[in-house]
Amino acid sequence: MARQRAAEIDAEAAAWAARLDRGPLSASEQTRLNQWTATSTRHVGALARARAIHHHFDRAAALGSEFDPETRSRPARRQPATGQSLARNALIAMAAALLLVIGVALLPRAQTLDTGVGELRRVLLDDGTSLTLNTDSRVAIDFGDRRRLLVLERGEILLDVAHDAQRPFVVDSGIVRVHVTGTRFSVFNYPDKSTRVTVIEGEVELRRDQTKDSPPVTLTANTGAISRDGTPTRVTQLPAEETERRLKWLDGMLAFNGQTLAEAATEFSRYSTYRIIVATPEVGRRKVVGLFAANNPSGFAEAVALSFGLHAEPVPGGVRLVDPGRH
Amino acid sequence: MPGRRIVDNDRIVWIAREILPHEPALRSWLRARPTAGLEVDDVIQEAYAILAALSSTGEIRNPRAYLFSVARSVVLQHVRRARIVSIEAMAGIEDLCISDTDQQPDRVAGRSQKLRLVAELIGDLPHKCRQAFVLRKVHGLSQKEIAGQMGIAESTVEKHIARGLNLIMGWIAELGEPAEAAPVPVPASTTIRKRRNGQTTRR
């Protein structure tokens, strides 16, 4: 008999551990388990390990009442090399100096969270929803027995909302309210006082206060919407790569695919106080394509200067991009 | 075959508290001393089996050292059983002596760091697995209650728990040294958030 690979044994052990966690076994299940453990000592060991790891997560119960505000002020640290995050780690490592502060903690029910300029923060809410705050953002969380409310006071968040039929999930941006049952989407309060919603998976409904010319709008996957006071919500279908482009900040990167240099410079200004100044509107209209580290604005400025044949002149607190061909 | 196959809960708790935290260090130690024909994962599984089958653990005063000894004996047993004992395997035998430096108790991560790691591992799970885990482990709901809340079958909840557990088992296996030992080197000039002149610091 060929030796079983450890990974296969672990998967079987995890399945048995989950079954044991569910409740007492029937007679036939007990027989099957006895046969499985009798097959090899490695099966016994793998199951003991799986059950021990499962028990280890009873510590998670302690986290429910032990929110540690210090998780945010920890110095910049790398994420542990968990399987799904390895690719993300590679991207971050390629960027210049690591500045992202990533903390995951479970929160009590009513809470305000914020991030500083250049900070990224991911948090697990106690219903299982995953909330990520991008740079310079603030949310107020107010979970009750009948509903789950998040107020986006500032900035941009990504939500992966856990399904709970008893409690609808609402994000209030001050301009629009996003109603969800279970889905993945981002909400972004633009500086020009509009709210941009991007739906990645699932479905959300946008509701406005002025209902007369703003009926509720339903958005499905790969759809975006812009809402501004006084105008109806504008909905756009997004190609999948555009949805992806809008979420690159999760990896600490900014992706541009035809946005103007002026727009790109504004985007970079959200992530640090370094200023990229565009000397003339003509320079600002150049189209940018590429993937850049969000925390390296000077690198971005140098890169575009090179590709557009511009001069990057240092100024206090930043750089000014000038077209040398015109004065 | 060990006499006890289905392990008592008390033993599981002992393993979770006294052995599991040392697994990453043991894996690093084993990786540094490869043995032909034996994978680190295999040694770990065999070691856990031996610990699970012990008649009692009350006498074990240094669980970390004990774990390392058990792993060492697994490797030695494999080397002895191999029909062709390769020169490489024999050459590594003296490396299996456990030095005192491997047994420093202060290298175990502090409690709050361990808890943060727990939260991060849960946070990396896929959507439904994560939800099931949070409901099970943070809120203490039974799998049956979770089924009611998530609107899915009990057997599906069981599958989510199994899948999440399997993922976490794999991630723990990939962990290097305990958190404070050897993270990716961060340049000394790195600053955290606000800078005096607004300029980001380069590598």
Side-chain angles (χ1 to χ4, degrees):
Chain A
M1 166 165 40
R3 286 198 80 215
Q4 234 183 337
R5 292 194 56 241
E8 201 183 310
I9 299 178
D10 276 342
E12 288 169 8
W16 276 118
R19 177 61 193 87
L20 288 165
D21 176 63
R22 179 170 155 188
L25 273 64
S26 69
S28 65
E29 284 171 326
Q30 186 67 57
T31 307
R32 271 202 300 123
L33 179 55
N34 289 344
Q35 283 168 352
W36 186 79
T37 51
T39 306
S40 136
T41 52
R42 291 177 60 197
H43 287 207
V44 176
L47 181 55
R49 180 170 176 266
R51 289 175 62 198
I53 288 170
H54 194 57
H55 173 84
H56 181 69
F57 282 85
D58 282 346
R59 290 162 181 273
L63 285 169
S65 53
E66 204 177 279
F67 174 59
D68 178 10
E70 289 313 299
T71 55
R72 206 188 98 219
S73 46
R74 272 185 296 155
R77 68 188 283 287
R78 67 166 184 136
Q79 261 178 316
T82 56
Q84 291 180 339
S85 312
L86 279 175
R88 205 175 286 177
N89 269 345
L91 279 178
I92 290 172
M94 275 172 5
L98 183 60
L99 291 174
L100 299 173
V101 177
I102 299 174
V104 178
L106 296 173
L107 304 181
R109 293 213 144 172
Q111 176 78 23
T112 301
L113 286 180
D114 58 22
T115 45
V117 168
E119 190 183 352
L120 179 71
R121 186 171 180 199
R122 189 176 73 179
V123 159
L124 191 60
L125 305 183
D126 71 357
D127 65 335
T129 293
S130 171
L131 164 67
T132 310
L133 283 82
N134 197 1
T135 176
D136 196 17
S137 302
R138 184 163 65 247
V139 293
I141 298 161
D142 183 11
F143 277 15
D145 293 325
R146 299 287 191 87
R147 64 147 184 53
R148 299 171 280 171
L149 175 64
L150 218 87
V151 178
L152 177 65
E153 296 177 5
R154 182 186 175 78
E156 183 177 13
I157 57 176
L158 176 79
L159 279 161
D160 199 341
V161 174
H163 184 87
D164 182 351
Q166 256 60 52
R167 297 192 297 168
F169 197 107
V170 179
V171 180
D172 189 336
S173 79
I175 294 164
V176 72
R177 285 188 305 283
V178 187
H179 287 244
V180 293
T181 41
T183 190
R184 185 167 160 87
F185 65 103
S186 72
V187 187
F188 182 3
N189 270 348
Y190 257 49
D192 67 354
K193 301 226 192 308
S194 64
T195 298
R196 182 174 79 170
V197 178
T198 305
V199 178
I200 299 108
E201 264 175 45
E203 194 176 280
V204 312
E205 191 181 75
L206 303 193
R207 299 186 195 163
R208 314 279 300 266
D209 280 334
Q210 313 117 346
T211 47
K212 43 182 168 63
D213 44 24
S214 313
V217 171
T218 301
L219 306 180
T220 52
N222 290 316
T223 311
I226 300 180
S227 306
R228 204 188 302 272
D229 276 341
T231 63
T233 297
R234 212 173 74 223
V235 175
T236 339
Q237 287 305 119
L238 306 173
E241 60 268 14
E242 171 61 16
T243 311
E244 251 189 67
R245 185 193 70 81
R246 292 185 183 192
L247 293 185
K248 282 293 184 203
W249 57 265
L250 292 169
D251 297 326
M253 309 295 280
L254 296 178
F256 301 107
N257 189 15
Q259 281 69 35
T260 65
L261 181 48
E263 286 169 334
T266 305
E267 186 65 10
F268 267 98
S269 71
R270 297 174 59 203
Y271 294 83
S272 77
T273 51
Y274 187 85
R275 285 293 158 268
I276 301 171
I277 299 161
V278 157
T280 62
E282 190 276 328
V283 168
R285 280 194 288 269
R286 309 275 179 104
K287 300 265 167 85
V288 178
V289 176
L291 186 65
F292 305 91
N295 59 13
N296 188 7
S298 56
F300 167 75
E302 279 173 29
V304 293
L306 197 62
S307 57
F308 294 143
L310 304 170
H311 281 172
E313 300 170 347
V315 297
V319 74
R320 190 161 168 268
L321 295 171
V322 184
D323 185 341
R326 306 155 185 236
H327 298 285
Chain B
M1 235 16 92
R4 196 193 331 207
R5 294 197 202 124
I6 310 300
V7 179
D8 282 358
N9 205 54
D10 287 347
R11 181 58 55 85
I12 297 297
V13 171
W14 180 83
I15 291 173
R17 286 206 188 123
E18 306 292 346
I19 299 295
L20 192 57
H22 306 293
E23 185 186 308
L26 175 60
R27 284 182 183 269
S28 294
W29 189 80
L30 288 168
R31 271 182 224 127
R33 296 157 180 82
T35 306
L38 191 59
E39 300 289 326
V40 171
D41 286 333
D42 301 345
V43 177
I44 296 288
Q45 283 176 348
E46 298 270 8
Y48 273 90
I50 291 170
L51 293 168
L54 290 173
S55 53
S56 94
T57 59
E59 308 274 292
I60 299 172
R61 272 166 300 138
N62 188 337
R64 181 191 171 104
Y66 196 81
L67 171 65
F68 275 67
S69 311
V70 166
R72 179 170 176 263
S73 71
V74 168
V75 175
L76 283 173
Q77 191 175 44
H78 168 87
V79 168
R80 278 186 220 120
R81 275 190 190 158
R83 293 223 192 103
I84 297 164
V85 178
S86 75
I87 303 294
E88 291 88 30
M90 284 310 299
I93 291 288
E94 54 276 15
D95 274 354
L96 292 174
C97 293
I98 301 162
S99 72
D100 280 341
T101 53
D102 291 318
Q103 297 173 37
Q104 299 307 318
D106 58 12
R107 291 176 74 192
V108 177
R111 180 165 185 252
S112 66
Q113 257 171 326
K114 274 193 236 169
L115 287 178
R116 279 201 287 270
L117 182 59
V118 166
E120 284 165 15
L121 288 175
I122 295 183
D124 277 341
L125 287 174
H127 189 106
K128 294 219 157 65
C129 294
R130 181 176 69 235
Q131 192 178 0
F133 252 82
V134 170
L135 290 173
R136 178 85 189 91
K137 288 298 175 178
V138 178
H139 298 279
L141 298 185
S142 68
Q143 287 196 18
K144 184 175 163 137
E145 288 164 337
I146 294 171
Q149 175 143 340
M150 285 177 71
I152 55 181
E154 275 186 65
S155 57
T156 313
V157 175
E158 187 186 319
K159 288 198 179 82
H160 286 318
I161 299 276
R163 182 173 176 220
L165 191 55
N166 195 27
L167 284 167
I168 289 167
M169 285 162 69
W171 294 339
I172 288 179
E174 284 168 24
L175 289 176
E177 288 292 323
E180 69 277 11
V184 168
V186 174
S189 58
T190 301
T191 52
I192 299 162
R193 277 181 273 161
K194 305 196 166 49
R195 254 155 301 288
R196 284 187 308 270
N197 59 3
Q199 187 147 3
T200 57
T201 310
R202 306 258 217 113
R203 203 182 8 232

